[in-house]
Amino acid sequence: MSSAPATAPDFLLSRAHGSVRTQGARRTFNSIAAAKQALSQGADMVVGAIPFNPEHPCALTEPERIIREDGPLEPHAYYRHGEGAALHASLIALDPPLEEHERRVAAAVATIKKTALQKVVLARSVKIAFDPPVDPRLIAARLIDLSIDRDGFIADLTPAGPAYQGHWLVGSSPEVLVKKQGSTVSAYPLAGSLPRVNDPVQDRINAEELRRSTKNLAEHAFVTAHLRNLLQPLCSSLSIPSYPELTRTNEMWHLATPISGTLSPEYAQLTALDLAQRCHPTPAICGTPTDAARCVIEEAEAPRGFYAGAVGWCDSSGDGEFMVAIRCAEVSAGGHSAVAWAGGGIVAHSDPAEEVAETSAKLRTIMNALGLRS
């Protein structure tokens, strides 16, 4: 991996409405509690990642230098031209093989039909090798360039402990776990998905079918109910449309619901980090009931680490934004390899073959950025 420029970030979150880029570390934290205490004691900002399992160590940092921008981040020229733009990736393993993932989905459907479990999100991963080693910021730059809304993120996972020393989380997520600006709290959950196709007429027909899909609407409703139950007691007003809207990436159509509320005066002191801690994990990336779904996931899958966690920032005023950590990969120390994930929500009427195809489509976000096929 070649030397990065001095201006290369240690954390970034690129969003159409505003972005944050940081460098250096005054302090690091492996727990949300420690990061919240630092904010209460005057830290300007905390950035980083929360794992899928909230009981596992976090990777949060109080940065030395902070740059905010009003729009999305432009990839550094170093990662567009010359040595820094070199990327040679190869797909080396699937975990599990596609047939096994299909069997896992079928088993989950059977479990849902005979137990109290209503939804579980099952994921599969792919392992990728790089020769020469990759700078993870290059992957982030490519993801930002390829994203419809120029979404992208990168976070150093070293604060989570020795197992993550030198590892990075990089991705392009369209899903907002929670955002806080002043007394306004908002979220943009996604649940219910369909791969896009090249034919624009058929693509739009498929999108309208997704909008009317009983199975996908039911899957989406679990997520909005979860956020309503958590946010309504904190808010003097909360707007949750009764019907989701369609949103898209280059690879997928999603059902999405724009949620917005005003925090009650007695909860105005809650920070974006507080709210992220309360809301995570949602049924969009875990399932419902939460504990039962997590048990199925941890029994069926290899450890997710920071996939399906959250990545974002919170400043000293309590404002901030956390994205759901999907369409992402964990890059190993030294940039020699990475693991990327994709999952789908399984409910009683899920079709196992369709669920496998959905994970392949979702993986295209990362794979296209790496010049690979999913």
Side-chain angles (χ1 to χ4, degrees):
M1 183 167 61
S2 56
S3 298
T7 54
D10 300 320
F11 169 88
L12 71 81
L13 179 62
S14 174
R15 301 281 287 138
H17 57 261
S19 305
V20 170
R21 179 177 60 195
T22 74
Q23 289 184 299
R26 297 184 187 278
R27 287 178 288 178
T28 62
F29 315 99
N30 65 7
S31 73
I32 292 177
K36 291 197 298 187
Q37 183 177 17
L39 286 167
S40 70
Q41 294 174 346
D44 292 331
M45 182 178 283
V46 168
V47 303
I50 299 167
F52 168 68
N53 188 329
E55 298 177 2
H56 292 175
C58 298
L60 299 169
T61 297
E62 177 189 0
E64 291 181 338
R65 294 173 295 282
I66 303 164
I67 298 172
R68 299 199 201 205
E69 302 189 19
D70 292 336
L73 288 168
E74 289 294 329
H76 195 287
Y78 174 80
Y79 299 112
R80 279 184 164 158
H81 311 286
E83 187 179 5
L87 192 158
H88 301 283
S90 57
L91 178 64
I92 58 175
L94 306 181
D95 183 17
L98 298 184
E99 298 81 2
E100 176 60 24
H101 187 68
E102 187 170 338
R103 285 193 291 269
R104 288 181 182 180
V105 172
V109 170
T111 299
I112 290 168
K113 289 180 177 178
K114 65 184 180 183
T115 70
L117 182 66
Q118 295 176 287
K119 174 184 176 180
V120 62
V121 179
L122 291 182
R124 67 180 183 91
S125 65
V126 297
K127 188 170 183 180
I128 300 150
F130 300 100
D131 185 15
V134 70
D135 184 331
R137 301 173 188 88
L138 170 58
I139 304 174
R142 290 192 173 191
L143 287 166
I144 292 168
D145 269 342
L146 291 171
S147 168
I148 289 175
D149 295 317
R150 301 186 65 76
D151 291 322
F153 63 79
I154 187 167
D156 183 359
L157 300 180
T158 299
Y164 292 96
Q165 181 72 36
H167 289 223
W168 296 79
L169 187 70
V170 58
S172 178
S173 174
E175 183 171 7
V176 182
L177 175 64
V178 69
K179 179 184 176 185
K180 180 177 181 284
Q181 187 169 18
S183 62
T184 300
V185 58
S186 59
Y188 196 61
L190 309 182
S193 306
L194 198 66
R196 300 194 64 186
V197 297
N198 291 329
D199 181 339
V201 174
Q202 188 61 50
D203 190 51
R204 194 68 208 186
I205 290 171
N206 292 353
E208 293 303 322
E209 290 179 355
L210 174 64
R211 191 200 295 270
R212 297 189 298 267
S213 166
T214 301
K215 176 258 183 187
N216 284 287
L217 288 168
E219 181 185 338
H220 190 86
F222 289 129
V223 186
T224 53
H226 168 88
L227 290 169
R228 184 189 300 276
N229 291 339
L230 290 174
L231 295 177
Q232 197 158 48
L234 310 177
C235 293
S236 58
S237 64
L238 184 68
S239 171
I240 302 181
S242 57
Y243 204 77
E245 64 185 24
L246 285 169
T247 191
R248 73 192 193 283
T249 66
N250 287 323
E251 299 79 24
M252 302 294 299
W253 284 106
H254 296 287
L255 295 179
T257 295
I259 297 174
S260 181
T262 301
L263 290 171
S264 302
E266 61 266 38
Y267 294 109
Q269 79 285 357
L270 290 176
T271 68
L273 187 55
D274 289 316
L275 294 166
Q277 185 178 26
R278 289 182 182 229
C279 293
H280 174 69
T282 76
I285 45 82
C286 183
T288 190
T290 302
D291 290 343
R294 187 187 293 130
C295 286
V296 171
I297 290 166
E298 293 182 345
E299 181 176 340
E301 298 180 17
R304 289 183 172 185
F306 286 84
Y307 163 68
V311 60
W313 60 274
C314 180
D315 67 17
S316 57
S317 70
D319 289 353
E321 183 170 25
F322 285 84
M323 308 298 292
V324 180
I326 54 175
R327 316 297 147 79
C328 64
E330 181 184 325
V331 182
S332 69
H336 297 279
S337 64
V339 179
W341 293 263
I346 313 304
V347 294
H349 299 293
S350 292
D351 178 273
E354 290 179 0
E355 296 296 336
V356 172
E358 181 175 318
T359 60
S360 295
K362 289 175 176 176
L363 278 168
R364 289 182 198 135
T365 301
I366 286 286
M367 303 294 266
N368 288 344
L370 301 180
L372 296 172
R373 297 184 63 181
S374 59

